[in-house]
Amino acid sequence: MIPPFLFGGYMNQGKIFDIEEELKKLPNKPGVYIMHSANDDILYVGKAINLHNRVRQYFRTGHGHNNSPKIVKMVEQISYFEYIVTSSDMEALVLECNLIKEHRPKYNTLMTDDKGYPYIKVTVEEDYPRVLYSHTMKRDKSKYFGPYTNGKAVKDIIELLNKLYHIRTCNKRLPKEMYKDRPCLYYQIGQCNAPCNGYISKEEYRKNIEAAMTFLGGNYKEILNKLTEDMKTYAKEMEFEKAAEVRDLIESVKHIADKQQINKNYGDDRDVIAYAANEQDIVVTVFFVRDGKLLGREHHHMNGNIKDDEAEILSSFVKQFYSGTPYLPKEIILQSEVYDREILEEYLSNRRGSNVTMIVPQKGDKKKILDLAKDNALMVLKQDMERIKRQEKRTSGAAKEIADAIGIACADRMEAFDISNISGCLAVASMVVFEKGKPKKNAYRKFRLTTVTGPDDYASMKEVLSRRFTDDKLDVLPDVIMMDGGKGQINVATMVLDSLGLDIPVCGMVKDDKHRTRALYYNNEEIEFPKGSEALLMVTALQDEAHRFAIEYHKQLRRQNQVHSILDEIPGVGPARRKTLLKHFKDVEAIRVATLEELSAVSGIPESTAKYIYEFFHN
């Protein structure tokens, strides 16, 4: 009898792992193998019916799966492997799923998102049931509807059902806790019949629950008609806000109540899985068919590309997806065959508690819905690529356009600076950073100026740049510096850089008479961009962000300075008591409106000081 889990193949400390020697020791048993890099990173986790045969294939030429470019690249990085012998193929599959989910190895085809699917739960086991939102479907006595793909729509439907059928929303254990309190606000506004006080019989309440479940089961027409009439009435009475609320509710009902018939001859539950891939991405589409109706769809992204094996992609997805989803249908329709289908079906059947079948239809209605799922995956993939291209044009594309316009190699990292003060008081500066056209907020810096008195922007900028480029912590240099100003600011920046032996291009961000960014000033020339161009929008964003960040910091200091000056004017209030007061009351306004008794009750504030504070704000 083989023990359930037997570890083998570890690299002994201080001993070089001899792959050829270790391959000879592999047992002819089912199990899981784990490939490691020289840094002990887990590169790949796989399952094998026969560990000896499967693992050896990775290190032998001309054996099927190792011809994949991804696998070849992975094998080049393998420093050692380990394996876990299991007592059955099923045990190996379960272990493989768990290890992949825990370690997310680099060369496994992985789901890159982890979505949950909400359910509507009706607690039919209770004497007075409730309708609840649930993230999972448990094996309890409640009745579940779903899964659904829009959490907001689910919440809207639950709220609607509670209002229409006067379903309780409290957590009271009825009838045990009946008659203990007065009916709550929901009874007062007519949204609950107060079963907690016996105002509705158990039988009548059950009728309301049955009506709600009839709706959830697919009878939507009555409620949709009522909501449509309500919307028209509100619109006719010019109560447009209420009409809009009802309109949104109708959309939520329609989302839940998608009545598209997939196969009129069959009412079974099934999932339909298809995918589309390109060189960068894989999109897997899942259609949820429940009782013959398409209730929703989900799209999942996986790492990998079009060169990956179809069976590998779908096998990886099925194992990862169904190891986390709470509900399993009796049938799964797949675009192509998967590896070890019989073992997967056994694994899924054990999870479901009854048979799960995977099929690859070649014709008929099931093939049609599969083609529809694949078309959806292709559409999402295309939309994603278009979105990525648009984003690249707005970000890295705009940065390249700026670099080309001023004649530098690249503008991957741009830093912009701005000064903020009021008549030289509390002068501050900001530094914002854009990398590849995107704000990198963890690289932003703010400076409290210390050497400049009065409103001298040139001297202020000289201090800021000197501090920025002599700070050892800020060792990453920008490709270009953007100054909020013209020639004078550029000259200051150039002087500072020259003194430090740095050669970094410096541009001035020029505004028009209406204070709108219109051009860059570089090498004594104005460089204009077409109106609405991505480059001009990028420069505008840099200038606005530097200004915003500086202004926010200045406002923060002004607030702190104001707090300090007001409280410090009160006799008996020093730094320690000021801190105590602010910790207790949170802000100055709360101190201002506090009563004498409230002030006296603060620990650490003597009664005489409390009186001074009260009189200060009330005389």
Side-chain angles (χ1 to χ4, degrees):
M1 176 76 179
I2 301 170
F5 299 115
L6 174 64
F7 285 81
Y10 280 111
M11 182 167 65
N12 297 326
Q13 188 173 4
K15 181 182 177 181
I16 297 175
F17 187 88
D18 188 335
I19 289 181
E20 286 298 326
E21 190 63 30
E22 294 298 328
L23 288 174
K24 297 175 183 177
K25 300 177 184 177
L26 286 164
N28 292 296
K29 305 292 183 184
V32 172
Y33 54 92
I34 306 165
M35 303 298 192
H36 289 267
S37 70
N39 297 324
D40 294 328
D41 296 326
I42 294 179
L43 300 171
Y44 188 82
V45 173
K47 174 190 68 64
I49 296 174
N50 186 309
L51 284 167
H52 183 271
N53 294 340
R54 184 60 178 260
V55 177
R56 288 170 63 88
Q57 287 180 354
Y58 287 94
F59 305 96
R60 301 288 183 267
T61 58
H63 285 78
H65 70 273
N66 68 352
N67 292 326
S68 162
K70 183 173 75 172
I71 296 299
V72 171
K73 188 175 180 181
M74 184 265 290
V75 171
E76 291 173 353
Q77 301 176 51
I78 296 175
S79 179
Y80 69 100
F81 60 81
E82 58 181 301
Y83 52 88
I84 305 170
V85 175
T86 61
S87 57
S88 68
D89 297 343
M90 173 59 58
E91 213 169 54
L93 176 62
V94 173
L95 180 58
E96 181 197 26
C97 290
N98 292 338
L99 290 175
I100 290 174
K101 193 170 185 179
E102 179 180 355
H103 297 291
R104 302 190 65 79
K106 179 179 180 180
Y107 286 96
N108 282 91
T109 303
L110 300 172
M111 291 172 59
T112 57
D113 44 15
D114 187 13
K115 299 178 181 178
Y117 304 93
Y119 292 79
I120 294 178
K121 174 181 178 180
V122 183
T123 58
V124 293
E125 74 278 10
E126 296 179 334
D127 289 327
Y128 295 91
R130 295 165 293 156
V131 179
L132 306 173
Y133 184 103
S134 177
H135 291 285
T136 58
M137 187 176 75
K138 300 178 180 177
R139 293 186 178 181
D140 53 22
K141 296 180 181 179
S142 297
K143 186 171 179 61
Y144 291 83
F145 296 87
Y148 302 107
T149 58
N150 187 315
K152 182 182 181 302
V154 169
K155 291 176 182 178
D156 287 344
I157 293 302
I158 291 173
E159 184 178 353
L160 172 67
L161 293 176
N162 288 339
K163 287 180 180 178
L164 289 179
Y165 298 111
H166 307 291
I167 298 170
R168 72 184 183 102
T169 58
C170 64
N171 294 323
K172 291 182 177 178
R173 291 174 293 176
L174 304 181
K176 184 179 179 180
E177 296 181 7
M178 288 179 72
Y179 309 111
K180 290 191 175 182
D181 300 296
R182 292 188 304 170
C184 67
L185 179 63
Y186 285 103
Y187 170 76
Q188 304 295 335
I189 62 177
Q191 289 188 16
C192 179
N193 288 330
C196 57
N197 277 262
Y199 292 178
I200 182 173
S201 68
K202 187 186 298 185
E203 292 72 25
E204 286 298 317
Y205 188 89
R206 278 279 171 178
K207 288 181 181 179
N208 291 344
I209 289 293
E210 292 295 336
M213 288 197 294
T214 299
F215 166 82
L216 293 173
N219 186 4
Y220 315 110
K221 187 175 180 180
E222 182 180 340
I223 286 182
L224 283 172
N225 288 342
K226 182 181 184 306
L227 290 174
T228 302
E229 288 301 318
D230 289 345
M231 182 179 67
K232 291 178 180 178
T233 301
Y234 285 132
K236 187 176 181 180
E237 295 174 357
M238 302 185 73
E239 295 188 59
F240 299 117
E241 288 187 5
K242 291 185 178 179
E245 289 177 4
V246 177
R247 177 203 62 203
D248 293 342
L249 195 53
I250 290 173
E251 290 303 312
S252 290
V253 173
K254 287 181 177 179
H255 186 92
I256 296 294
D258 190 337
K259 297 189 69 172
Q260 181 182 355
Q261 293 290 328
I262 302 304
N263 188 337
K264 294 182 180 180
N265 299 321
Y266 299 94
D268 294 333
D269 294 352
R270 60 175 58 90
D271 287 352
V272 183
I273 302 175
Y275 81 93
N278 59 24
E279 295 295 334
Q280 292 83 29
D281 200 7
I282 298 171
V283 174
V284 181
T285 293
V286 185
F287 278 4
F288 302 109
V289 182
R290 301 294 179 261
D291 196 24
K293 300 168 187 174
L294 176 62
L295 287 188
R297 67 178 183 184
E298 278 291 347
H299 306 293
H300 292 266
H301 291 262
M302 303 184 74
N303 64 358
N305 58 57
I306 200 168
K307 295 178 183 177
D308 286 343
D309 184 83
E310 277 196 356
E312 171 67 22
I313 292 171
L314 289 177
S315 296
S316 298
F317 178 80
V318 167
K319 286 184 279 190
Q320 293 173 64
F321 181 73
Y322 289 111
S323 67
T325 188
Y327 179 77
L328 273 162
K330 67 183 297 184
E331 185 176 79
I332 299 172
I333 298 175
L334 295 169
Q335 178 177 328
S336 64
E337 286 290 352
V338 295
Y339 288 129
D340 304 321
R341 188 176 81 174
E342 294 80 7
I343 300 172
L344 268 176
E345 285 180 336
E346 184 183 352
Y347 166 65
L348 297 177
S349 298
N350 288 341
R351 285 208 66 227
R352 186 176 191 267
S354 59
N355 285 341
V356 175
T357 304
M358 292 190 289
I359 64 170
V360 182
Q362 302 300 317
K363 59 183 180 179
D365 291 331
K366 293 181 181 180
K367 180 65 165 58
K368 289 179 182 178
I369 186 63
L370 181 64
D371 291 341
L372 182 61
K374 185 170 184 178
D375 288 344
N376 275 262
L378 285 166
M379 177 189 68
V380 172
L381 188 66
K382 182 179 178 182
Q383 290 173 345
D384 283 351
M385 293 308 299
E386 290 174 350
R387 174 180 54 79
I388 290 169
K389 287 179 181 178
R390 289 195 301 270
Q391 186 178 20
E392 286 179 349
K393 185 179 179 183
R394 290 193 298 265
T395 54
S396 56
K400 185 179 185 304
E401 191 179 343
I402 291 171
D404 292 342
I406 63 178
I408 62 175
C410 72
D412 285 349
R413 182 181 172 106
M414 295 182 282
E415 294 182 2
F417 297 84
D418 193 17
I419 305 293
S420 180
N421 65 72
I422 297 178
S423 300
C425 178
L426 295 175
V428 300
S430 66
M431 179 188 96
V432 301
V433 180
F434 277 30
E435 281 197 353
K436 297 188 182 300
K438 298 178 184 178
K440 188 178 182 181
K441 296 199 174 183
N442 63 351
Y444 286 15
R445 293 294 183 270
K446 46 194 177 186
F447 302 85
R448 177 80 179 269
L449 301 182
T450 58
T451 64
V452 181
T453 56
D456 189 338
D457 284 354
Y458 291 162
S460 299
M461 191 58 70
K462 181 179 179 182
E463 178 187 336
V464 171
L465 293 174
S466 298
R467 288 168 58 183
R468 184 265 176 263
F469 290 107
T470 56
D471 189 338
D472 292 337
K473 295 179 181 178
L474 303 176
D475 56 349
V476 180
L477 296 179
D479 297 307
V480 62
I481 297 171
M482 298 288 186
M483 308 298 298
D484 186 29
K487 190 173 182 179
Q489 293 282 26
I490 293 174
N491 290 338
V492 170
T494 303
M495 180 183 66
V496 171
L497 294 173
D498 287 345
S499 68
L500 298 172
L502 297 174
D503 183 17
I504 302 172
V506 181
C507 295
M509 297 179 286
V510 184
K511 293 186 177 182
D512 60 19
D513 295 338
K514 296 182 180 179
H515 212 65
R516 295 177 301 195
T517 307
R518 66 173 178 83
L520 285 177
Y521 190 83
Y522 180 66
N523 280 349
N524 297 317
E525 292 183 13
E526 274 197 11
I527 300 170
E528 295 189 353
F529 299 94
K531 189 176 181 180
S533 70
E534 297 296 346
L536 183 59
L537 293 173
M538 177 70 66
V539 175
T540 302
L542 265 167
Q543 193 166 30
D544 291 346
E545 184 70 348
H547 187 64
R548 177 198 66 79
F549 197 51
I551 290 294
E552 281 190 0
Y553 184 38
H554 194 257
K555 286 180 178 178
Q556 177 189 342
L557 291 180
R558 291 208 310 271
R559 286 194 297 268
Q560 293 173 356
N561 191 63
Q562 183 183 22
V563 168
H564 172 85
S565 60
I566 290 175
L567 296 181
D568 279 6
E569 290 179 17
I570 304 172
V573 177
R577 287 177 181 170
R578 181 178 70 245
K579 185 177 181 180
T580 299
L581 287 165
L582 289 173
K583 186 176 181 180
H584 183 86
F585 289 102
K586 307 304 181 188
D587 56 39
V588 175
E589 187 57 32
I591 299 172
R592 187 192 304 275
V593 300
T595 65
L596 179 59
E597 290 76 14
E598 289 172 336
L599 292 166
S600 301
V602 178
S603 176
I605 303 298
E607 187 174 343
S608 58
T609 303
K611 187 176 180 182
Y612 285 134
I613 298 169
Y614 183 81
E615 291 176 350
F616 179 85
F617 286 116
H618 292 83
N619 289 337

